[in-house]
């Protein structure tokens, strides 16, 4: 099988997409899409995965599918170049998950550090752990392999999922013969972009933690999030006090997003972030100035995204058609992989009638 360059990424439709998604994955996806270097780009709205911890609230998932597609289109995902599809409508993914479950032990699943953290966040340790949630890394391996993806652009929290997927591929190919493509994670080079913290300084900006700057937030909300909620340095009480830039969310966001051009445009006193940080550390630079600069940087990033969203929001019929066409393409694509998998596993009884000959031969031998 000739290896093509194929991307698979996705998001859970549990809310609108936020700045963490943007720096961790979306921005990269658009660059890769426009690089012309990839044969296929597939973007999966993982509604089945979202149900694993929202089974009692399917309305939330249904609502957020449109939010996620709108966010994709507004950051520059181009449906002519990328296939956007909905997970629950792809039956091959369910079948693959079922087969891969036989290749993974419960002990292995229990070791997944991201799942461990997420279990804690969701209170599953006390309430009891849904089997679906516990095993979602297996279904994620099905998503990736169903598209024969070799490249998976994700944030750092997804590295354990990729590791699990790679183990499944290795084991499957060892038992059933070379069938599945080995995937590789692609994480941002900029360290801060790999896991953007929340505005409250918590380890990860996450829909489930309510500490997000959403791509679709209007300027007024953005301003409130920055001025009201954003965690800086609690020891920096007076402007003249020396300040800490480490663990200071304003500087973390600047690390992830600002360029020297932003300084030339909005804060020409400094040539770059290093100079600004040095001043903050020495003392004499107030949080107000830093926050105002961050606001300008974010406005520059987010205002074109908002404008695109407003345009698409007026044309939901077209958005539906894009999603429906992408999903139809993905059904075909993933069914091909499932057929290949079933053939490798020798359970493709009804692919053609060749098994009749095999069975007849077997019975003939038994009679001899
Ligand atoms: P949920 O709380 O429902 O899990 P989430 O905010 O973690 O939502 P996901 O849909 O799980 O978002 O993640 C989608 C993609 O975005 C993944 O590739 C993930 O690594 C990346 N991502 C999510 N949050 C961040 C973040 N704070 N920094 C960098 N990347 C992120
Ligand atoms: Mg997540």
């Amino acid at each position: 099988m000739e290896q093509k360059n194929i991307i698979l990424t996705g998001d859970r439709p549990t809310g609108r997409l936020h700045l963490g998604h943007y720096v961790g994955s979306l921005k990269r996806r658009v660059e890769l899409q426009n690089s012309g270097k990839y044969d296929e780009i597939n973007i999966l709205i993982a509604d089945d995965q979202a149900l694993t911890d929202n089974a009692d609230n399917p309305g939330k998932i249904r609502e957020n599918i449109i939010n996620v597609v709108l966010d994709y289109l507004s950051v520059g995902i181009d449906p002519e170049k990328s296939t956007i599809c909905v997970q629950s409508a792809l039956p091959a993914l369910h079948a693959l998950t079922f087969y891969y479950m036989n290749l993974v032990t419960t002990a292995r699943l229990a070791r997944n550090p991201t799942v461990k953290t997420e279990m804690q966040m969701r209170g599953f340790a006390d309430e009891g752990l849904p089997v679906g949630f516990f095993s979602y890394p297996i279904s994620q391996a099905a998503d990736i392999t169903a598209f024969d993806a070799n490249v998976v652009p994700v944030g750092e929290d997804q590295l354990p999922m990729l590791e699990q997927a790679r183990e499944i591929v290795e084991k499957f190919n060892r038992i059933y013969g070379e069938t599945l493509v080995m995937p590789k994670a692609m994480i941002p080079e900029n360290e801060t972009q790999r896991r953007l913290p929340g505005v409250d300084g918590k380890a990860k900006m996450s829909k489930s933690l309510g500490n997000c700057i959403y791509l679709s937030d209007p300027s007024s909300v953005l301003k409130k999030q920055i001025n009201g909620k954003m965690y800086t340095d609690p020891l920096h009480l007076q402007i003249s006090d020396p300040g800490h830039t480490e663990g200071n969310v304003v500087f973390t966001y600047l690390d992830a997003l600002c360029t020297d051009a932003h300084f030339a445009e909005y804060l020409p006193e400094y040539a770059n972030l290093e100079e600004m940080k040095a001043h903050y550390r020495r003392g004499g630079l107030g949080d107000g100035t830093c926050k105002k600069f961050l606001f300008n940087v974010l406005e520059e990033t987010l205002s074109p995204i908002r404008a695109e969203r407003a345009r698409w929001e007026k044309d939901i019929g077209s958005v539906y058609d894009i999603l429906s066409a992408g999903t139809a393409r993905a059904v075909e694509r993933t069914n091909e992989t499932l057929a290949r998998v079933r053939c490798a596993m020798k359970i493709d009884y009804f692919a053609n009638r060749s098994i009749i000959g095999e069975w007849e031969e077997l019975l003939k031998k038994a009679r001899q």
Side-chain angles (χ1 to χ4, degrees), residues 18-28 154 188 190 192-196 215 253 256-257 301:
H18 53 64
L19 208 57
H21 296 121
Y22 183 71
V23 299
S25 177
L26 289 177
K27 195 162 162 272
R28 190 64 165 283
V154 281
N190 175 317
T192 319
Q193 293 181 352
R194 293 179 188 166
R195 188 186 300 250
L196 197 74
L215 300 179
Y253 285 15
L257 283 142
T301 312

Side-chain angles (χ1 to χ4, degrees), residues 25-70:
S25 177
L26 289 177
K27 195 162 162 272
R28 190 64 165 283
R29 288 182 209 175
V30 176
E31 287 162 11
L32 296 173
Q33 169 196 273
N34 296 336
S35 74
K37 287 188 189 149
Y38 290 85
D39 299 297
E40 267 181 48
I41 298 178
N42 302 289
I43 304 182
L44 183 74
I45 302 184
D47 61 333
D48 281 338
Q49 189 188 116
L51 281 169
T52 65
D53 56 333
N54 289 282
D56 56 350
N57 196 3
K60 173 175 153 189
I61 311 303
R62 188 179 169 93
E63 264 167 40
N64 281 304
I65 288 182
I66 185 64
N67 275 321
V68 171
V69 192
L70 284 170

Side-chain angles (χ1 to χ4, degrees), residues 319-332:
V319 179
Y320 175 90
D321 292 339
I322 287 170
L323 194 58
S324 153
T327 303
R329 259 200 317 278
V331 168
E332 299 292 315

Side-chain angles (χ1 to χ4, degrees), residues 11-12 14 18 20-21 155 157-158 196 204-208:
D11 304 273
R12 296 153 39 93
T14 47
H18 53 64
H21 296 121
D157 62 308
Q158 293 301 306
L196 197 74
K204 183 175 169 293
M205 181 178 284
S206 166
K207 286 169 272 180
S208 311

